[in-house]
Amino acid sequence: MSMNPSRLSLSTLAAALWVGTGSGVLTPTALRAQPAGTAAAAAAPAAPQPDTRAMRSRTKVTVNFVNADVEAVTRAFGAMIERQIAVDPRVKGNITVYSEQPQTIREAYASYLAALRGLGFAMVESAGLLKVVPEADAKLQAGTVVVGEATARADQVLTQIFSLRYENANNLVTVLRPLITANNTINVSPGSNTVVITDYADNLQRLGKIIAALDQPAHTDIEIVPLKHAVAADLAQLVQRLSEASVAGAQAPAPGAAAGAGVTVAADSRSNSLIVRAPNRARLAAALSIIDKLDRPAQGAGPQGNFWVVHLRNADATRLATVLRAAFASTGGATAGSGLGSGSTGSSAPGSTSATPGVGAPGAAATAPITAAAQPTTGGFVQADPATNSLIITAPEPLYRQVRAMIDQLDTRRAQVYIESMIVEVSGDNAADFGFQWQGLIGSRGDTNLIGVGTNFGSSGNLIGLNTGAAAGQINLGEGLNIGLIRNYGGTYALSAIARALQSQTSTNIISTPNLITLDNEEAKFVVGSNVPFVTGQFTNTGTSVANPFQTIERKDVGITLRIKPQIGEGGTVRMTIFQESSSVSDKVAPGTTNAGPTTNKRQIETNVVVDDGGIIVLGGLIEDRFIENKSKIPLLGDLPGVGALFRSESRTKNRTNLMVFLRPVVLRDAPAGDRLSLDRYEQIRSQQMDSQPVPRPMLPLQDSPVLPPLQAPVPAAAPAPGATPPAKP
């Protein structure tokens, strides 16, 4: 190793000489003969010279270590850079570092690190101390962590953190891992979207450039293109299709490419502008070129220049045509730039060639306003074609622009509302009846006069009625417990006393869960029940004349009826107009109406409510709570304590009816939301059918009940042929 003694300190030179013994050669690059007085001058203390790190790094040296011990060469380079370098005990072997021409200490140190790397060793820095360790352990002992751009540290191992702005860190791992040394690591922090790499400094600089090139926004900046002649809503779909077709013809998208990576074109009807976004500048320029070529004034003069056909995507053409005619009729047709004047119109003169109000001769501006008086219900400048759900507009181009802007705002996809309802009717009847009846005769056989004494309260199982029925051969005891006493009256047996006790309880629990889906602000109706006939009139032949008797019958729905009209408000609230009716045919017949037909019970709720999306609201409550107590007794005797029960009959009845309606609206704003809901209900019914399969029987051949088939995954649409025009998107 050769060094310039005029620029190196004595300690550095001594270390180099010591290291070079037997392993290298120290050759001064410039040693000249000195005058006699120079030596004496050199012995005197010299003035301190500036010895900065920059000057040392530019010092020229010539190193020549051939098959020298690694530890000895490391100490020599530590003396050159004036840093302490520790050598791991596992670092053994010989190293060769030499240079044909003089070079700076920085360059020589870089050559030394490269030689270490070739032997499988690496230099790391931990707490200010340089250490030579095996390369496999470098990632564990490297204490230098760099955030951002790393400085040039040659072949020193360090850790660098790369913070990403646009790209997903997990996506870059597959790209960067093959470029990292096998013994070093790369890790991802998903929370902060950062990449942590431990590797050599020079490789980290290369990886930093690759990450900077890949960490780019997915799309260019948004470009807003105002249109002069075309309508934004019409041009947006055409430009979108042409851009996708050009990309499909040039190259197929890579497998796994992110959706929406192509050109996106949206229309702003308010400003009649197109909003364009593309993945790169070339695609953006191509889209802008297409827009510029298509934004041209309508060609040709004559009637065809004033007729426009607009195909609707969501709205109903007939309804929308009525709304548009009414909107422009209310403004008198005087809109800026529409070509329509503000004068009044009367009836058309005979022989007039203008059949549509507000539309003048071909190529000329119309002067008559559009008024409701001059416009028939089925006529006007906007006509509907229900077969194709399209609008036919007869108007000059300025007016068409205004109409089209209104159409774009009205022709939007309407949200749907899924309404889960549960109608619960709970009723209970409790009755208790207890009574004692007796009959007796006072007197003996042969007496002229006999006295009959007894009680009769006319309740079910009446004692007199039982004896009368027994005489006729029919005994009909009342319900409940009946205890009777039979006595012989002159050879005839009859009931002389009967005690009756009865308690009954009836509970009714009716639950209905009708569910329905309807469009926003559209009424939906759900009816489940029976169609019951009611006699409204009849005629019977009562005389001797020939006549045909007949009856007139009216049928009415009896069951559950639910009508709901939802309206989605701001913030996801749903306003509902509700009509709910629950009716049934009663088993009881009203007094005096035996031949008047059946009696119906009706429960009806009609109200307006507001509920949040997904919230639950309840309507109804306690309808009836009735208590009836009936007591029949013999005066004075029935009030006696204890024995008074023999002279009275009591009955108590309690009726309680509750009706509650639970409603839960869920807003479905797009097709995936509706698909998820339908799939959930489909799988629920299918699971219930599979769980209710009949138990297999050896003697019965039919073992399975019908089950809904499993839903198949949607088949992806085939790619269009080259040159084919893709279908229009809704």
Side-chain angles (χ1 to χ4, degrees), residues 616-651:
I616 300 177
I617 194 169
V618 61
L619 308 175
L622 178 64
I623 296 177
E624 183 183 61
D625 191 356
R626 179 187 301 176
F627 178 78
I628 301 175
E629 183 177 11
N630 187 9
K631 182 183 294 185
S632 301
K633 64 180 179 178
I634 303 298
L636 299 179
L637 296 179
D639 296 329
L640 295 176
V643 297
L646 300 177
F647 302 95
R648 65 175 179 261
S649 176
E650 297 181 11
S651 65

PDB file of all heavy atoms in Angstrom, residues 616-651:
ATOM      1  N   ILE A 616     -86.727   0.070  13.107  1.00  0.00           N
ATOM      2  CA  ILE A 616     -87.992  -0.643  13.337  1.00  0.00           C
ATOM      3  C   ILE A 616     -88.954   0.303  14.026  1.00  0.00           C
ATOM      4  O   ILE A 616     -88.585   1.022  14.961  1.00  0.00           O
ATOM      5  CB  ILE A 616     -87.770  -1.908  14.192  1.00  0.00           C
ATOM      6  CG1 ILE A 616     -86.803  -2.874  13.482  1.00  0.00           C
ATOM      7  CG2 ILE A 616     -89.093  -2.609  14.469  1.00  0.00           C
ATOM      8  CD1 ILE A 616     -86.482  -4.106  14.296  1.00  0.00           C
ATOM      9  N   ILE A 617     -90.182   0.309  13.557  1.00  0.00           N
ATOM     10  CA  ILE A 617     -91.238   1.113  14.162  1.00  0.00           C
ATOM     11  C   ILE A 617     -92.442   0.210  14.385  1.00  0.00           C
ATOM     12  O   ILE A 617     -92.682  -0.735  13.625  1.00  0.00           O
ATOM     13  CB  ILE A 617     -91.594   2.323  13.264  1.00  0.00           C
ATOM     14  CG1 ILE A 617     -92.440   3.325  14.041  1.00  0.00           C
ATOM     15  CG2 ILE A 617     -92.290   1.881  11.993  1.00  0.00           C
ATOM     16  CD1 ILE A 617     -92.608   4.638  13.317  1.00  0.00           C
ATOM     17  N   VAL A 618     -93.193   0.484  15.450  1.00  0.00           N
ATOM     18  CA  VAL A 618     -94.344  -0.329  15.811  1.00  0.00           C
ATOM     19  C   VAL A 618     -95.580   0.553  15.825  1.00  0.00           C
ATOM     20  O   VAL A 618     -95.536   1.714  16.249  1.00  0.00           O
ATOM     21  CB  VAL A 618     -94.130  -1.027  17.175  1.00  0.00           C
ATOM     22  CG1 VAL A 618     -93.931  -0.004  18.269  1.00  0.00           C
ATOM     23  CG2 VAL A 618     -95.282  -1.958  17.510  1.00  0.00           C
ATOM     24  N   LEU A 619     -96.682   0.001  15.327  1.00  0.00           N
ATOM     25  CA  LEU A 619     -97.981   0.676  15.309  1.00  0.00           C
ATOM     26  C   LEU A 619     -98.985  -0.196  16.047  1.00  0.00           C
ATOM     27  O   LEU A 619     -98.853  -1.413  16.106  1.00  0.00           O
ATOM     28  CB  LEU A 619     -98.449   0.919  13.876  1.00  0.00           C
ATOM     29  CG  LEU A 619     -97.469   1.618  12.924  1.00  0.00           C
ATOM     30  CD1 LEU A 619     -98.046   1.656  11.525  1.00  0.00           C
ATOM     31  CD2 LEU A 619     -97.164   3.012  13.415  1.00  0.00           C
ATOM     32  N   GLY A 620    -100.031   0.438  16.551  1.00  0.00           N
ATOM     33  CA  GLY A 620    -101.100  -0.312  17.208  1.00  0.00           C
ATOM     34  C   GLY A 620    -100.849  -0.433  18.700  1.00  0.00           C
ATOM     35  O   GLY A 620    -100.127   0.344  19.319  1.00  0.00           O
ATOM     36  N   GLY A 621    -101.443  -1.452  19.281  1.00  0.00           N
ATOM     37  CA  GLY A 621    -101.344  -1.663  20.723  1.00  0.00           C
ATOM     38  C   GLY A 621    -102.593  -2.365  21.231  1.00  0.00           C
ATOM     39  O   GLY A 621    -103.195  -3.204  20.538  1.00  0.00           O
ATOM     40  N   LEU A 622    -103.012  -2.017  22.456  1.00  0.00           N
ATOM     41  CA  LEU A 622    -104.198  -2.618  23.059  1.00  0.00           C
ATOM     42  C   LEU A 622    -105.449  -2.059  22.389  1.00  0.00           C
ATOM     43  O   LEU A 622    -105.655  -0.857  22.308  1.00  0.00           O
ATOM     44  CB  LEU A 622    -104.224  -2.315  24.565  1.00  0.00           C
ATOM     45  CG  LEU A 622    -105.442  -2.839  25.316  1.00  0.00           C
ATOM     46  CD1 LEU A 622    -105.482  -4.353  25.282  1.00  0.00           C
ATOM     47  CD2 LEU A 622    -105.423  -2.331  26.761  1.00  0.00           C
ATOM     48  N   ILE A 623    -106.265  -2.984  21.877  1.00  0.00           N
ATOM     49  CA  ILE A 623    -107.489  -2.575  21.202  1.00  0.00           C
ATOM     50  C   ILE A 623    -108.687  -2.680  22.146  1.00  0.00           C
ATOM     51  O   ILE A 623    -109.522  -1.767  22.230  1.00  0.00           O
ATOM     52  CB  ILE A 623    -107.715  -3.447  19.949  1.00  0.00           C
ATOM     53  CG1 ILE A 623    -106.593  -3.208  18.944  1.00  0.00           C
ATOM     54  CG2 ILE A 623    -109.066  -3.143  19.317  1.00  0.00           C
ATOM     55  CD1 ILE A 623    -106.698  -4.067  17.713  1.00  0.00           C
ATOM     56  N   GLU A 624    -108.777  -3.770  22.868  1.00  0.00           N
ATOM     57  CA  GLU A 624    -109.962  -3.991  23.706  1.00  0.00           C
ATOM     58  C   GLU A 624    -109.572  -4.767  24.946  1.00  0.00           C
ATOM     59  O   GLU A 624    -108.784  -5.715  24.883  1.00  0.00           O
ATOM     60  CB  GLU A 624    -111.018  -4.769  22.910  1.00  0.00           C
ATOM     61  CG  GLU A 624    -112.316  -4.985  23.658  1.00  0.00           C
ATOM     62  CD  GLU A 624    -113.293  -5.825  22.839  1.00  0.00           C
ATOM     63  OE1 GLU A 624    -112.931  -6.975  22.531  1.00  0.00           O
ATOM     64  OE2 GLU A 624    -114.378  -5.334  22.504  1.00  0.00           O
ATOM     65  N   ASP A 625    -110.112  -4.345  26.087  1.00  0.00           N
ATOM     66  CA  ASP A 625    -109.955  -5.055  27.354  1.00  0.00           C
ATOM     67  C   ASP A 625    -111.316  -5.000  28.052  1.00  0.00           C
ATOM     68  O   ASP A 625    -111.687  -3.977  28.645  1.00  0.00           O
ATOM     69  CB  ASP A 625    -108.856  -4.401  28.198  1.00  0.00           C
ATOM     70  CG  ASP A 625    -108.493  -5.266  29.392  1.00  0.00           C
ATOM     71  OD1 ASP A 625    -109.145  -6.306  29.594  1.00  0.00           O
ATOM     72  OD2 ASP A 625    -107.555  -4.906  30.119  1.00  0.00           O
ATOM     73  N   ARG A 626    -112.081  -6.083  27.944  1.00  0.00           N
ATOM     74  CA  ARG A 626    -113.477  -6.100  28.399  1.00  0.00           C
ATOM     75  C   ARG A 626    -113.630  -7.104  29.542  1.00  0.00           C
ATOM     76  O   ARG A 626    -113.101  -8.224  29.474  1.00  0.00           O
ATOM     77  CB  ARG A 626    -114.392  -6.479  27.242  1.00  0.00           C
ATOM     78  CG  ARG A 626    -115.879  -6.550  27.617  1.00  0.00           C
ATOM     79  CD  ARG A 626    -116.703  -7.091  26.481  1.00  0.00           C
ATOM     80  NE  ARG A 626    -116.574  -6.264  25.284  1.00  0.00           N
ATOM     81  CZ  ARG A 626    -117.150  -6.573  24.117  1.00  0.00           C
ATOM     82  NH1 ARG A 626    -117.881  -7.678  24.014  1.00  0.00           N
ATOM     83  NH2 ARG A 626    -116.993  -5.784  23.084  1.00  0.00           N
ATOM     84  N   PHE A 627    -114.391  -6.702  30.569  1.00  0.00           N
ATOM     85  CA  PHE A 627    -114.704  -7.565  31.707  1.00  0.00           C
ATOM     86  C   PHE A 627    -116.211  -7.514  31.947  1.00  0.00           C
ATOM     87  O   PHE A 627    -116.781  -6.432  32.137  1.00  0.00           O
ATOM     88  CB  PHE A 627    -113.951  -7.108  32.965  1.00  0.00           C
ATOM     89  CG  PHE A 627    -114.265  -7.937  34.174  1.00  0.00           C
ATOM     90  CD1 PHE A 627    -113.684  -9.182  34.352  1.00  0.00           C
ATOM     91  CD2 PHE A 627    -115.169  -7.488  35.139  1.00  0.00           C
ATOM     92  CE1 PHE A 627    -113.983  -9.943  35.464  1.00  0.00           C
ATOM     93  CE2 PHE A 627    -115.468  -8.247  36.252  1.00  0.00           C
ATOM     94  CZ  PHE A 627    -114.870  -9.480  36.406  1.00  0.00           C
ATOM     95  N   ILE A 628    -116.861  -8.690  31.925  1.00  0.00           N
ATOM     96  CA  ILE A 628    -118.316  -8.794  32.099  1.00  0.00           C
ATOM     97  C   ILE A 628    -118.589  -9.746  33.260  1.00  0.00           C
ATOM     98  O   ILE A 628    -118.069 -10.869  33.282  1.00  0.00           O
ATOM     99  CB  ILE A 628    -119.003  -9.308  30.809  1.00  0.00           C
ATOM    100  CG1 ILE A 628    -118.701  -8.362  29.639  1.00  0.00           C
ATOM    101  CG2 ILE A 628    -120.496  -9.443  31.023  1.00  0.00           C
ATOM    102  CD1 ILE A 628    -119.233  -8.872  28.310  1.00  0.00           C
ATOM    103  N   GLU A 629    -119.390  -9.308  34.184  1.00  0.00           N
ATOM    104  CA  GLU A 629    -119.789 -10.141  35.324  1.00  0.00           C
ATOM    105  C   GLU A 629    -121.314 -10.218  35.350  1.00  0.00           C
ATOM    106  O   GLU A 629    -121.987  -9.179  35.365  1.00  0.00           O
ATOM    107  CB  GLU A 629    -119.256  -9.567  36.624  1.00  0.00           C
ATOM    108  CG  GLU A 629    -119.580 -10.435  37.835  1.00  0.00           C
ATOM    109  CD  GLU A 629    -118.990  -9.889  39.118  1.00  0.00           C
ATOM    110  OE1 GLU A 629    -118.502  -8.728  39.092  1.00  0.00           O
ATOM    111  OE2 GLU A 629    -119.012 -10.589  40.137  1.00  0.00           O
ATOM    112  N   ASN A 630    -121.851 -11.442  35.364  1.00  0.00           N
ATOM    113  CA  ASN A 630    -123.295 -11.672  35.350  1.00  0.00           C
ATOM    114  C   ASN A 630    -123.660 -12.479  36.601  1.00  0.00           C
ATOM    115  O   ASN A 630    -123.078 -13.550  36.834  1.00  0.00           O
ATOM    116  CB  ASN A 630    -123.692 -12.414  34.084  1.00  0.00           C
ATOM    117  CG  ASN A 630    -125.202 -12.522  33.924  1.00  0.00           C
ATOM    118  OD1 ASN A 630    -125.959 -11.893  34.671  1.00  0.00           O
ATOM    119  ND2 ASN A 630    -125.638 -13.311  32.969  1.00  0.00           N
ATOM    120  N   LYS A 631    -124.591 -11.974  37.377  1.00  0.00           N
ATOM    121  CA  LYS A 631    -124.976 -12.634  38.629  1.00  0.00           C
ATOM    122  C   LYS A 631    -126.503 -12.703  38.694  1.00  0.00           C
ATOM    123  O   LYS A 631    -127.177 -11.689  38.529  1.00  0.00           O
ATOM    124  CB  LYS A 631    -124.436 -11.879  39.828  1.00  0.00           C
ATOM    125  CG  LYS A 631    -124.757 -12.519  41.181  1.00  0.00           C
ATOM    126  CD  LYS A 631    -124.262 -11.680  42.336  1.00  0.00           C
ATOM    127  CE  LYS A 631    -122.756 -11.623  42.355  1.00  0.00           C
ATOM    128  NZ  LYS A 631    -122.260 -10.900  43.576  1.00  0.00           N
ATOM    129  N   SER A 632    -127.005 -13.922  38.913  1.00  0.00           N
ATOM    130  CA  SER A 632    -128.450 -14.154  39.096  1.00  0.00           C
ATOM    131  C   SER A 632    -128.658 -14.812  40.457  1.00  0.00           C
ATOM    132  O   SER A 632    -127.957 -15.782  40.782  1.00  0.00           O
ATOM    133  CB  SER A 632    -129.002 -15.051  37.975  1.00  0.00           C
ATOM    134  OG  SER A 632    -128.784 -14.457  36.707  1.00  0.00           O
ATOM    135  N   LYS A 633    -129.632 -14.304  41.222  1.00  0.00           N
ATOM    136  CA  LYS A 633    -129.829 -14.836  42.570  1.00  0.00           C
ATOM    137  C   LYS A 633    -131.260 -14.608  43.016  1.00  0.00           C
ATOM    138  O   LYS A 633    -132.000 -13.812  42.437  1.00  0.00           O
ATOM    139  CB  LYS A 633    -128.866 -14.174  43.547  1.00  0.00           C
ATOM    140  CG  LYS A 633    -129.099 -12.669  43.711  1.00  0.00           C
ATOM    141  CD  LYS A 633    -128.120 -12.058  44.691  1.00  0.00           C
ATOM    142  CE  LYS A 633    -128.376 -10.544  44.820  1.00  0.00           C
ATOM    143  NZ  LYS A 633    -127.472  -9.905  45.796  1.00  0.00           N
ATOM    144  N   ILE A 634    -131.623 -15.331  44.076  1.00  0.00           N
ATOM    145  CA  ILE A 634    -132.911 -15.132  44.735  1.00  0.00           C
ATOM    146  C   ILE A 634    -132.741 -13.991  45.738  1.00  0.00           C
ATOM    147  O   ILE A 634    -131.779 -14.000  46.521  1.00  0.00           O
ATOM    148  CB  ILE A 634    -133.373 -16.417  45.456  1.00  0.00           C
ATOM    149  CG1 ILE A 634    -133.443 -17.575  44.444  1.00  0.00           C
ATOM    150  CG2 ILE A 634    -134.709 -16.198  46.134  1.00  0.00           C
ATOM    151  CD1 ILE A 634    -134.430 -17.361  43.330  1.00  0.00           C
ATOM    152  N   PRO A 635    -133.606 -13.019  45.706  1.00  0.00           N
ATOM    153  CA  PRO A 635    -133.443 -11.899  46.645  1.00  0.00           C
ATOM    154  C   PRO A 635    -133.367 -12.390  48.073  1.00  0.00           C
ATOM    155  O   PRO A 635    -134.045 -13.342  48.470  1.00  0.00           O
ATOM    156  CB  PRO A 635    -134.677 -11.038  46.392  1.00  0.00           C
ATOM    157  CG  PRO A 635    -135.108 -11.377  44.998  1.00  0.00           C
ATOM    158  CD  PRO A 635    -134.772 -12.822  44.820  1.00  0.00           C
ATOM    159  N   LEU A 636    -132.506 -11.764  48.802  1.00  0.00           N
ATOM    160  CA  LEU A 636    -132.266 -12.021  50.219  1.00  0.00           C
ATOM    161  C   LEU A 636    -131.616 -13.381  50.438  1.00  0.00           C
ATOM    162  O   LEU A 636    -130.583 -13.481  51.082  1.00  0.00           O
ATOM    163  CB  LEU A 636    -133.573 -11.916  51.020  1.00  0.00           C
ATOM    164  CG  LEU A 636    -134.247 -10.536  50.975  1.00  0.00           C
ATOM    165  CD1 LEU A 636    -135.545 -10.580  51.791  1.00  0.00           C
ATOM    166  CD2 LEU A 636    -133.331  -9.458  51.504  1.00  0.00           C
ATOM    167  N   LEU A 637    -132.196 -14.439  49.865  1.00  0.00           N
ATOM    168  CA  LEU A 637    -131.623 -15.763  50.096  1.00  0.00           C
ATOM    169  C   LEU A 637    -130.249 -15.885  49.442  1.00  0.00           C
ATOM    170  O   LEU A 637    -129.364 -16.558  49.951  1.00  0.00           O
ATOM    171  CB  LEU A 637    -132.565 -16.843  49.560  1.00  0.00           C
ATOM    172  CG  LEU A 637    -133.928 -16.942  50.262  1.00  0.00           C
ATOM    173  CD1 LEU A 637    -134.780 -18.034  49.624  1.00  0.00           C
ATOM    174  CD2 LEU A 637    -133.748 -17.216  51.749  1.00  0.00           C
ATOM    175  N   GLY A 638    -130.091 -15.266  48.258  1.00  0.00           N
ATOM    176  CA  GLY A 638    -128.795 -15.370  47.585  1.00  0.00           C
ATOM    177  C   GLY A 638    -127.707 -14.594  48.270  1.00  0.00           C
ATOM    178  O   GLY A 638    -126.525 -14.805  47.985  1.00  0.00           O
ATOM    179  N   ASP A 639    -128.065 -13.693  49.213  1.00  0.00           N
ATOM    180  CA  ASP A 639    -127.057 -12.901  49.909  1.00  0.00           C
ATOM    181  C   ASP A 639    -126.630 -13.522  51.224  1.00  0.00           C
ATOM    182  O   ASP A 639    -125.758 -12.983  51.910  1.00  0.00           O
ATOM    183  CB  ASP A 639    -127.593 -11.497  50.177  1.00  0.00           C
ATOM    184  CG  ASP A 639    -127.869 -10.741  48.878  1.00  0.00           C
ATOM    185  OD1 ASP A 639    -127.137 -11.023  47.877  1.00  0.00           O
ATOM    186  OD2 ASP A 639    -128.756  -9.881  48.849  1.00  0.00           O
ATOM    187  N   LEU A 640    -127.281 -14.626  51.589  1.00  0.00           N
ATOM    188  CA  LEU A 640    -126.918 -15.258  52.849  1.00  0.00           C
ATOM    189  C   LEU A 640    -125.522 -15.839  52.748  1.00  0.00           C
ATOM    190  O   LEU A 640    -125.134 -16.396  51.720  1.00  0.00           O
ATOM    191  CB  LEU A 640    -127.923 -16.366  53.191  1.00  0.00           C
ATOM    192  CG  LEU A 640    -129.356 -15.909  53.463  1.00  0.00           C
ATOM    193  CD1 LEU A 640    -130.262 -17.121  53.684  1.00  0.00           C
ATOM    194  CD2 LEU A 640    -129.395 -14.986  54.687  1.00  0.00           C
ATOM    195  N   PRO A 641    -124.732 -15.703  53.796  1.00  0.00           N
ATOM    196  CA  PRO A 641    -123.385 -16.283  53.754  1.00  0.00           C
ATOM    197  C   PRO A 641    -123.452 -17.800  53.789  1.00  0.00           C
ATOM    198  O   PRO A 641    -124.246 -18.382  54.518  1.00  0.00           O
ATOM    199  CB  PRO A 641    -122.721 -15.712  55.007  1.00  0.00           C
ATOM    200  CG  PRO A 641    -123.839 -15.359  55.921  1.00  0.00           C
ATOM    201  CD  PRO A 641    -124.995 -14.983  55.054  1.00  0.00           C
ATOM    202  N   GLY A 642    -122.617 -18.404  52.946  1.00  0.00           N
ATOM    203  CA  GLY A 642    -122.550 -19.863  52.929  1.00  0.00           C
ATOM    204  C   GLY A 642    -123.675 -20.475  52.134  1.00  0.00           C
ATOM    205  O   GLY A 642    -123.510 -20.845  50.975  1.00  0.00           O
ATOM    206  N   VAL A 643    -124.862 -20.566  52.701  1.00  0.00           N
ATOM    207  CA  VAL A 643    -125.978 -21.223  52.025  1.00  0.00           C
ATOM    208  C   VAL A 643    -126.533 -20.378  50.897  1.00  0.00           C
ATOM    209  O   VAL A 643    -127.364 -20.844  50.118  1.00  0.00           O
ATOM    210  CB  VAL A 643    -127.097 -21.542  53.040  1.00  0.00           C
ATOM    211  CG1 VAL A 643    -126.598 -22.527  54.087  1.00  0.00           C
ATOM    212  CG2 VAL A 643    -127.597 -20.262  53.712  1.00  0.00           C
ATOM    213  N   GLY A 644    -126.078 -19.137  50.759  1.00  0.00           N
ATOM    214  CA  GLY A 644    -126.582 -18.289  49.677  1.00  0.00           C
ATOM    215  C   GLY A 644    -126.173 -18.783  48.311  1.00  0.00           C
ATOM    216  O   GLY A 644    -126.805 -18.452  47.304  1.00  0.00           O
ATOM    217  N   ALA A 645    -125.103 -19.601  48.232  1.00  0.00           N
ATOM    218  CA  ALA A 645    -124.685 -20.134  46.938  1.00  0.00           C
ATOM    219  C   ALA A 645    -125.717 -21.063  46.348  1.00  0.00           C
ATOM    220  O   ALA A 645    -125.739 -21.304  45.138  1.00  0.00           O
ATOM    221  CB  ALA A 645    -123.350 -20.866  47.082  1.00  0.00           C
ATOM    222  N   LEU A 646    -126.629 -21.609  47.203  1.00  0.00           N
ATOM    223  CA  LEU A 646    -127.668 -22.494  46.682  1.00  0.00           C
ATOM    224  C   LEU A 646    -128.768 -21.710  45.987  1.00  0.00           C
ATOM    225  O   LEU A 646    -129.642 -22.312  45.354  1.00  0.00           O
ATOM    226  CB  LEU A 646    -128.262 -23.312  47.829  1.00  0.00           C
ATOM    227  CG  LEU A 646    -127.277 -24.215  48.587  1.00  0.00           C
ATOM    228  CD1 LEU A 646    -127.996 -24.903  49.751  1.00  0.00           C
ATOM    229  CD2 LEU A 646    -126.667 -25.244  47.644  1.00  0.00           C
ATOM    230  N   PHE A 647    -128.749 -20.407  46.117  1.00  0.00           N
ATOM    231  CA  PHE A 647    -129.838 -19.605  45.565  1.00  0.00           C
ATOM    232  C   PHE A 647    -129.341 -18.574  44.536  1.00  0.00           C
ATOM    233  O   PHE A 647    -130.006 -17.590  44.274  1.00  0.00           O
ATOM    234  CB  PHE A 647    -130.577 -18.875  46.700  1.00  0.00           C
ATOM    235  CG  PHE A 647    -131.131 -19.789  47.747  1.00  0.00           C
ATOM    236  CD1 PHE A 647    -130.431 -20.069  48.923  1.00  0.00           C
ATOM    237  CD2 PHE A 647    -132.375 -20.405  47.562  1.00  0.00           C
ATOM    238  CE1 PHE A 647    -130.947 -20.912  49.868  1.00  0.00           C
ATOM    239  CE2 PHE A 647    -132.890 -21.242  48.534  1.00  0.00           C
ATOM    240  CZ  PHE A 647    -132.181 -21.508  49.685  1.00  0.00           C
ATOM    241  N   ARG A 648    -128.139 -18.816  43.948  1.00  0.00           N
ATOM    242  CA  ARG A 648    -127.635 -17.871  42.942  1.00  0.00           C
ATOM    243  C   ARG A 648    -126.769 -18.597  41.909  1.00  0.00           C
ATOM    244  O   ARG A 648    -126.312 -19.726  42.147  1.00  0.00           O
ATOM    245  CB  ARG A 648    -126.836 -16.754  43.593  1.00  0.00           C
ATOM    246  CG  ARG A 648    -125.552 -17.186  44.266  1.00  0.00           C
ATOM    247  CD  ARG A 648    -124.771 -15.973  44.762  1.00  0.00           C
ATOM    248  NE  ARG A 648    -123.537 -16.361  45.433  1.00  0.00           N
ATOM    249  CZ  ARG A 648    -123.387 -16.442  46.743  1.00  0.00           C
ATOM    250  NH1 ARG A 648    -124.427 -16.168  47.539  1.00  0.00           N
ATOM    251  NH2 ARG A 648    -122.227 -16.807  47.278  1.00  0.00           N
ATOM    252  N   SER A 649    -126.552 -17.887  40.777  1.00  0.00           N
ATOM    253  CA  SER A 649    -125.700 -18.377  39.687  1.00  0.00           C
ATOM    254  C   SER A 649    -124.853 -17.200  39.199  1.00  0.00           C
ATOM    255  O   SER A 649    -125.384 -16.111  38.953  1.00  0.00           O
ATOM    256  CB  SER A 649    -126.550 -18.945  38.535  1.00  0.00           C
ATOM    257  OG  SER A 649    -125.709 -19.317  37.449  1.00  0.00           O
ATOM    258  N   GLU A 650    -123.528 -17.400  39.054  1.00  0.00           N
ATOM    259  CA  GLU A 650    -122.606 -16.335  38.683  1.00  0.00           C
ATOM    260  C   GLU A 650    -121.789 -16.750  37.456  1.00  0.00           C
ATOM    261  O   GLU A 650    -121.446 -17.927  37.282  1.00  0.00           O
ATOM    262  CB  GLU A 650    -121.652 -16.024  39.844  1.00  0.00           C
ATOM    263  CG  GLU A 650    -122.339 -15.508  41.090  1.00  0.00           C
ATOM    264  CD  GLU A 650    -121.340 -15.189  42.189  1.00  0.00           C
ATOM    265  OE1 GLU A 650    -120.120 -15.185  41.882  1.00  0.00           O
ATOM    266  OE2 GLU A 650    -121.765 -14.953  43.335  1.00  0.00           O
ATOM    267  N   SER A 651    -121.446 -15.755  36.652  1.00  0.00           N
ATOM    268  CA  SER A 651    -120.556 -15.966  35.491  1.00  0.00           C
ATOM    269  C   SER A 651    -119.732 -14.707  35.280  1.00  0.00           C
ATOM    270  O   SER A 651    -120.242 -13.590  35.432  1.00  0.00           O
ATOM    271  CB  SER A 651    -121.359 -16.294  34.226  1.00  0.00           C
ATOM    272  OG  SER A 651    -122.159 -15.200  33.847  1.00  0.00           O
TER     273      SER A 651
END
